[in-house]
């Protein structure tokens, strides 16, 4: 069971910030897919939960020139189903549709997933591969600066993600080797070509999402699966657990990357 806490519901960004600032040790509540589970296990003990579900301007998906902007409280199901997003970036819609199960997809929010920065989460791969910009109540954060470690991001105390702007790529694809129980990525690789530049982002394999620079270099000269057939990431430092050893994850990175490149073509 959980420790006692005070539940608060905000109806605006300013109100949410004020409620969090007034709390002894508060936390924002987005979808709650991770936070509530850790509270049930008594691994987290916030004094207050500030629910963001009532803030209307954090929800919504829109096309803005050469980008698609996704509100932080947009659910995974909404991202998967949005017609404009699916038309512009089908890889992102497909990624969202492969997260968890229907209950998770309808409750979980993109902003919460990014802020949580689970090393096996899917959205960080999309943020990094597509070169997205994470917009907060304080600033804009470039994709390469956002994720700093396991469950760690560049967000400051009380800083709230408001939306994420994804540039529309010429091609993109996400290939995931999923844990069959949780649907988290044992290894997931997104490959994207945007403005003639190739980015390869890997999730699930390491302590945080990372770019595969050697693969990017190889694909810049020859955008084909064969170009990276012999390009491998080192196993040293990769995750090793009951689901997959580090050397197997290293192997999967290459396999998933080749599948992603093929999916782009």
């Amino acid at each position: 069971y959980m420790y006692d806490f005070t539940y608060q519901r905000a109806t605006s960004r300013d109100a949410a910030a004020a409620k969090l600032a007034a709390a002894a040790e508060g936390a924002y509540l987005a979808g709650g897919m991770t936070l509530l589970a850790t509270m049930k296990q008594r691994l987290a003990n916030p004094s207050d939960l500030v629910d963001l579900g009532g803030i209307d301007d954090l929800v919504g998906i829109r096309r803005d020139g050469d980008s698609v902007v996704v509100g932080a409280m947009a659910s995974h199901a909404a991202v998967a189903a949005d017609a404009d997003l699916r038309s512009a970036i089908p890889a992102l819609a497909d990624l969202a549709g492969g997260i968890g199960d229907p209950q998770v997809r309808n409750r979980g929010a993109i902003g919460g997933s990014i802020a949580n920065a689970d090393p096996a989460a899917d959205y960080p791969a999309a943020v990094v591969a597509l070169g997205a910009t994470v917009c907060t109540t304080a600033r804009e954060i470039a994709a390469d600066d956002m994720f700093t470690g396991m469950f760690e991001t560049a967000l400051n105390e009380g800083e709230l993600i408001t939306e994420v702007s994804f540039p529309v790529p010429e091609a993109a694809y996400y290939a995931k080797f999923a844990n069959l129980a949780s649907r988290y990525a044992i290894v997931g690789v997104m490959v994207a070509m945007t403005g003639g530049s190739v980015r390869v982002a890997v999730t699930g394999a390491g302590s945080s999402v990372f770019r595969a620079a050697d693969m990017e270099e190889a694909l810049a000269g020859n955008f084909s699966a064969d170009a990276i057939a012999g390009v491998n990431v080192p196993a040293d430092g990769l995750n090793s657990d009951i689901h997959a050893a580090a050397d197997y994850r290293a192997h999967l990175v290459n396999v998933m990357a080749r599948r992603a490149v093929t999916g782009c073509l």
Side-chain angles (χ1 to χ4, degrees), residues 37-151:
T38 57
M39 290 173 64
K40 288 178 181 178
Q41 294 168 352
R42 293 197 148 203
L43 298 175
N45 182 26
S47 63
D48 298 69
L49 288 187
V50 181
D51 190 346
L52 306 174
I55 305 177
D56 292 340
D57 64 356
L58 293 183
V59 182
I61 301 169
R62 69 183 190 278
R63 181 71 182 258
D64 184 9
D66 294 331
S67 298
V68 176
V69 181
V70 182
M73 286 298 290
S75 69
H76 312 326
V79 173
D82 187 84
D84 289 339
L85 185 147
R86 179 164 288 280
S87 174
I89 317 177
L92 180 58
D94 290 341
L95 177 152
I99 295 174
D101 53 32
Q103 291 84 353
V104 168
R105 289 193 291 274
N106 279 282
R107 289 297 305 167
I110 184 172
S113 176
I114 292 170
N116 188 53
D118 190 297
D122 299 299
Y123 277 125
V127 170
V128 172
L130 293 167
T133 299
V134 179
C135 305
T136 78
T137 47
R139 57 186 166 141
E140 295 183 350
I141 305 172
D144 289 335
D145 299 328
M146 182 62 195
F147 303 101
T148 59
M150 182 178 290
F151 296 106

Side-chain angles (χ1 to χ4, degrees), residues 140-208:
E140 295 183 350
I141 305 172
D144 289 335
D145 299 328
M146 182 62 195
F147 303 101
T148 59
M150 182 178 290
F151 296 106
E152 295 180 351
T153 70
L155 293 172
N156 294 319
E157 187 72 27
E159 189 174 5
L160 176 65
I161 296 174
T162 57
E163 60 189 21
V164 186
S165 179
F166 293 94
V168 176
E170 287 90 67
Y173 195 87
Y174 180 58
K176 176 169 73 168
F177 191 87
N179 180 307
L180 294 180
S182 68
R183 304 304 299 170
Y184 273 105
I186 293 176
V187 168
V189 179
M190 179 172 270
V191 174
M193 180 183 290
T194 309
S197 176
V198 179
R199 294 169 69 99
V200 180
V202 181
T203 190
S207 60
S208 181

Side-chain angles (χ1 to χ4, degrees), residues 215-247:
M215 288 187 177
E216 292 176 349
E217 184 177 351
L219 291 170
N222 175 14
F223 194 79
S224 70
D226 289 342
I228 56 172
V231 181
N232 297 297
V233 300
D236 291 347
L238 296 188
N239 297 333
S240 187
D241 52 31
I242 62 171
H243 305 297
D247 58 348

